Amino acid sequence: MGNLALTFIGAVLVNNFVLVRFLGICPFLGVSKQIDTALGMGMATTFVMVLSGAATWLVEHYILVPFGLPFLQTLSYILIIASLVQVVEMFLKKTSPALYSALGIFLPLITTNCAVLGLAIMAAQQNYTFVETIVFALGTGVGFTLALAAMAGIREQMEFADIPKALRGAGITLITAGLMSLAFMGFSGLIAM
Amino acid sequence: MRDSLRLIIVLTVVATLSGGILAFTWDRIMPIIESNNAAALAESILEVMPRAVSYEIWTAEASSAADADASASATATADGTSAGTADASSSGTVSADATASGTADADSTATATAAADSTASSTADADATATSTTADTTASSTADADATASSTTSDADSTATATGAAADADATASGTADADATASGTVDGTSGSSLVANVIEIYRGLDANGKTAGVAFVVDANGFGGTIRMIVGLDPAARKLNKVKVLEHSETPGLGARITEPAFLRQFENKSIDDGFVAKQDVDAITGATVSSIAVASTLKAALTEVETELRAGGAW
Amino acid sequence: MQSSINREFLKGLWNEHPTLRLLIGMCPTLAVTTAAINGFGMGLSVIFVLVCSSVLISLLRNFIPNQVRIPCFIMVIATFTTIIDMVLAAYFPALHEVLGLFIPLIVVNCIILGRAEAYASKHSPLYAFIDALGMGLGVTWGLTFIGAIREIMGMGTVFGLPVFPETATSWIIFILPPGAFFTLGIAVGAMNHINYVIERRKRQQVSRPAAAGQAVQG
């Protein structure tokens, strides 16, 4: 139990996927202009991460390992994630139009979010158990949402700042991300892994 | 209908072709990767033991159980249901080929699960050691089962480190000197503390005449960013370290990663193993990387003690 | 014909530079550029996957039904990614260890799927090849450049060769995660600035002959 809590906190703070491991940078830069959209994107991504973490774990441990097919890992994982995103999209459309209208536009973007695939591969490398994988995925998703929402909060404030023309947009966002990453470095060593 | 059939056919064809190409490449490439890894390990082992010209994987019962069952390596089954990683390695010295990690007998199935993947290096030669030792084992629960199953625990021959849900379990399975090689296992449930050394493997260095020319062991330390895997060479007769080399680590670049630099590692060369290995006292810590430095120093001390005990028990010190 | 090939090739190197202009494929750009050689190795891996998958997709573009094109593209890309992963593991183990997770993640690199979808699936193999090569070289120089800056500032070396005297203090921050963001942010800003300057020059050059013409008329 304590171990699971450590896995969770480690994924949220210490090894934050966005700011420390550089996974999921594209949505981090693209969908962080407003807090609302950032939260929506974060929640949709967390949802897909947990599902795909579970699905890839099952495939890894019941198909790839027993049949000795490690070379199919990347191929099968990305196909699982892509089809999972499709299924989730169709399912949400049918069952919960409200949720669909909130998360729907982000779903197609998630397929090419390297954080989702990175999470699946990392969980396999670390040899996590099923429960650990779920907790790790949840922590990663929360960490991703946290970074995205914090960034969006800062960018909303920056709207009115006088920024040099060349740095406007991506430039200043990246430098801000650098400062946030510096702050997150303070968490390293929080948990002896 | 015909349309969707066409789509399915296209997808299946593309998937089959991709899988086929990958399988083909894997078949070609995998032996190269394996031999590279084995060669790199062999080179490191000899590097840390300057006087040795060859080495063998050291097992405790190599001296006593010369008749260990050779079929042991066959019982090592990789098992996918698992939680932790187990590095189970079995090995043989020149006298006992394929000494057994797990065991040969049906009554010790529990041990067999613990020793998931065994490296049976029957040829004790530097170059020909096959090393592929990462496999899965059922977590600590199975490891417990081993403990109860064990009747006679004398020597350790396979160390399986299962990082289970709760703690690191050192499942030490062993074969005794009995003719039928009944196997047994002991489980040390250890906490994740960095003071408990995770000695992965011990190697005995041999000089040209086949005499012991040093001991090398691979040990894992809990660093700042993750596991630090080191190989350590020592001279048992002189009670001195020869050389320490970092094999893998994930420390912070520029700070903790400097444990790989000669400036830090050189201070362990020719250091007496009876020293304290206390960072900032008899070991200089790296500025800004105290945690990594302490992890290396204290793990070395703990591992040296452990290795010495084990070697003495086996009568090889 | 010749000039259009040139244009397709050159656009990836500057005007549509994937990382510094279009801001896609940022994850490996930030993660693996702790040293110039790592960025270079990553760039070459991307070139391999990009060129092979673009050409193959371009060849197959008439056989793949529109509805399943994305899964097919992904499978093609994943195949080449896994191949380069295995090849690096076998022949360049040190580089493979540094790049680690980011080699399999080439498969979700927006550059590759983006070029497959936007370009290769609509053009002939020759053009797809030229486009992929240009984009790949763009990625490579971008990664190597950022890697070189970070290595010089953080370690005082470039491609492992010392550039500063021993006594110089290196700024470790540049090879830590924050340094990646800072370097890339400033590089993007510098790229924008250079383009503004070029544009201004062009505008001046356009307006000056016009003014001269008026003077003659007057």
Side-chain angles (χ1 to χ4, degrees):
Chain A
M1 195 60 220
N3 212 348
L4 290 181
L6 286 187
T7 307
F8 182 79
I9 294 172
V12 176
L13 296 177
V14 182
N15 284 314
N16 188 288
F17 256 47
V18 178
L19 295 169
V20 180
R21 288 203 165 131
F22 306 117
L23 294 165
I25 298 289
C26 292
F28 179 66
L29 297 177
V31 205
S32 63
K33 291 207 176 78
Q34 286 169 341
I35 291 190
D36 289 348
T37 44
L39 284 176
M41 179 72 187
M43 283 192 295
T45 310
T46 310
F47 186 60
V48 173
M49 273 177 175
V50 174
L51 281 184
S52 64
T56 51
W57 189 91
L58 291 174
V59 168
E60 173 81 18
H61 289 269
Y62 288 101
I63 296 176
L64 295 185
V65 172
F67 293 101
L69 304 167
F71 52 87
L72 288 182
Q73 194 187 50
T74 314
L75 184 68
S76 57
Y77 280 19
I78 186 67
L79 283 181
I80 290 169
I81 293 169
S83 40
L84 204 67
V85 169
Q86 274 302 302
V87 171
V88 168
E89 196 176 348
M90 289 192 295
F91 179 76
L92 280 185
K93 214 176 196 170
K94 283 257 164 60
T95 56
S96 164
L99 203 58
Y100 179 75
S101 62
L103 303 182
I105 50 165
F106 303 115
L107 284 170
L109 285 176
I110 293 173
T111 310
T112 53
N113 183 343
C114 50
V116 181
L117 181 61
L119 166 106
I121 296 176
M122 214 178 272
Q125 278 175 353
Q126 304 266 335
N127 245 313
Y128 281 141
T129 60
F130 188 69
V131 179
E132 277 175 326
T133 305
I134 302 279
V135 171
F136 181 58
L138 192 64
T140 305
V142 171
F144 179 78
T145 314
L146 181 74
L148 217 61
M151 191 62 181
I154 297 174
R155 284 182 80 172
E156 281 186 358
Q157 300 295 315
M158 277 197 311
E159 285 280 290
F160 307 105
D162 184 21
I163 297 157
K165 195 179 162 199
L167 283 178
R168 267 174 221 168
I172 196 70
T173 311
L174 282 166
I175 292 172
T176 315
L179 292 172
M180 287 170 69
S181 165
L182 205 54
F184 268 73
M185 271 192 72
F187 293 116
S188 61
L190 184 70
I191 300 167
M193 298 300 270
Chain B
M1 187 56 217
R2 273 196 56 218
D3 247 14
S4 52
L5 195 67
R6 197 170 131 245
L7 298 186
I8 291 168
I9 289 172
V10 168
L11 277 180
T12 320
V13 168
V14 174
T16 318
L17 282 178
S18 309
I21 292 170
L22 288 180
F24 178 81
T25 322
W26 175 255
D27 269 1
R28 292 286 168 291
I29 295 246
M30 202 48 212
I32 301 177
I33 298 177
E34 268 173 7
S35 69
N36 278 354
N37 289 347
L41 180 69
E43 194 183 311
S44 306
I45 292 170
L46 290 181
E47 191 190 328
V48 296
M49 289 187 296
R51 292 196 296 118
V53 293
S54 67
Y55 69 90
E56 59 187 21
I57 300 171
W58 186 84
T59 37
E61 83 287 9
S63 43
S64 56
D67 56 349
D69 202 323
S71 69
S73 57
T75 54
T77 45
D79 114 357
T81 59
S82 85
T85 29
D87 286 346
S89 27
S90 94
S91 56
T93 54
V94 190
S95 51
D97 331 341
T99 336
S101 77
T103 162
D105 275 15
D107 61 4
S108 60
T109 41
T111 325
T113 27
D117 189 1
S118 82
T119 346
S121 66
S122 37
T123 41
D125 236 86
D127 324 11
T129 339
T131 22
S132 65
T133 49
T134 325
D136 302 332
T137 183
T138 31
S140 34
S141 56
T142 330
D144 278 330
D146 292 39
T148 47
S150 71
S151 46
T152 37
T153 313
S154 61
D155 313 320
D157 76 51
S158 110
T159 21
T161 326
T163 321
D168 289 0
D170 275 354
T172 326
S174 66
T176 60
D178 298 337
D180 58 351
T182 351
S184 56
T186 45
V187 174
D188 300 334
T190 57
S191 70
S193 153
S194 62
L195 289 173
V196 178
N198 282 324
V199 178
I200 308 295
E201 188 88 84
I202 302 175
Y203 304 93
R204 197 155 69 105
L206 305 168
D207 63 12
N209 303 323
K211 297 258 173 62
T212 303
V215 170
F217 58 91
V218 177
V219 63
D220 277 354
N222 287 320
F224 188 74
T227 306
I228 305 171
R229 177 163 288 192
M230 299 175 285
I231 183 159
V232 184
L234 68 110
D235 185 343
R239 300 187 66 79
K240 273 184 175 162
L241 284 185
N242 283 333
K243 202 168 174 152
V244 178
K245 192 180 175 197
V246 176
L247 299 176
E248 317 167 3
H249 72 94
S250 44
E251 303 303 282
T252 324
L255 296 169
R258 291 174 57 202
I259 55 165
T260 60
E261 289 178 4
F264 178 72
L265 293 178
R266 209 181 293 132
Q267 59 184 330
F268 295 109
E269 284 173 24
N270 292 324
K271 189 173 174 60
S272 164
I273 62 170
D274 299 312
D275 283 354
F277 286 85
V278 181
K280 293 177 174 173
Q281 289 177 23
D282 63 329
V283 174
D284 290 332
I286 295 166
T287 314
T290 317
V291 174
S292 310
S293 311
I294 291 177
V296 170
S298 61
T299 304
L300 283 180
K301 181 66 182 171
L304 285 169
T305 317
E306 194 177 310
V307 167
E308 187 181 351
T309 319
E310 201 158 313
L311 286 174
R312 278 194 191 284
W317 187 279
Chain C
M1 174 75 186
Q2 187 62 43
S3 73
S4 79
I5 286 188
N6 276 345
R7 202 175 56 240
E8 294 302 319
F9 179 66
L10 290 175
K11 71 171 193 268
L13 293 180
W14 191 268
N15 280 339
E16 291 183 29
H17 189 277
T19 36
L20 297 177
R21 299 285 293 172
L22 303 182
L23 300 171
I24 53 178
M26 303 296 266
C27 302
T29 313
L30 291 161
V32 303
T33 52
T34 45
I37 189 73
N38 299 344
F40 187 64
M42 187 72 195
L44 291 187
S45 316
V46 170
I47 290 184
F48 171 81
V49 178
L50 189 52
V51 168
C52 292
S53 57
S54 279
V55 170
L56 191 61
I57 285 168
S58 173
L59 285 171
L60 294 175
R61 70 188 190 282
N62 295 328
F63 300 100
I64 296 176
N66 203 31
Q67 298 93 318
V68 291
R69 66 181 194 288
I70 298 287
C72 289
F73 294 169
I74 288 179
M75 279 193 272
V76 170
I77 296 168
T79 307
F80 286 115
T81 308
T82 313
I83 289 175
I84 192 75
D85 191 14
M86 293 193 275
V87 168
L88 284 181
Y91 298 104
F92 305 95
L95 185 65
H96 183 262
E97 200 168 299
V98 175
L99 301 181
L101 183 64
F102 286 90
I103 301 172
L105 287 183
I106 292 177
V107 75
V108 284
N109 196 317
C110 326
I111 298 170
I112 292 159
L113 193 58
R115 289 334 282 175
E117 168 75 1
Y119 200 93
S121 61
K122 299 189 180 77
H123 293 82
S124 68
L126 176 66
Y127 275 84
F129 174 77
I130 296 293
D131 171 76
L133 194 63
M135 286 286 166
L137 287 173
V139 172
T140 308
W141 87 249
L143 288 180
T144 314
F145 175 69
I146 292 169
I149 293 180
R150 291 181 67 191
E151 196 183 339
I152 290 172
M153 303 301 278
M155 310 268 278
T157 59
V158 61
F159 283 108
L161 305 169
V163 288
F164 290 138
E166 279 285 303
T167 47
T169 308
S170 46
W171 298 355
I172 289 166
I173 184 79
F174 272 90
I175 46 174
L176 297 179
F181 285 111
F182 292 143
T183 315
L184 187 59
I186 291 166
V188 168
M191 187 92 172
N192 284 341
H193 185 72
I194 293 169
N195 279 314
Y196 291 143
V197 171
I198 291 173
E199 261 172 46
R200 207 184 306 143
R201 289 247 173 89
K202 265 191 195 149
R203 239 181 289 128
Q204 280 168 354
Q205 273 171 358
V206 169
S207 61
R208 210 175 292 144
Q214 272 179 348
V216 170
Q217 271 183 353

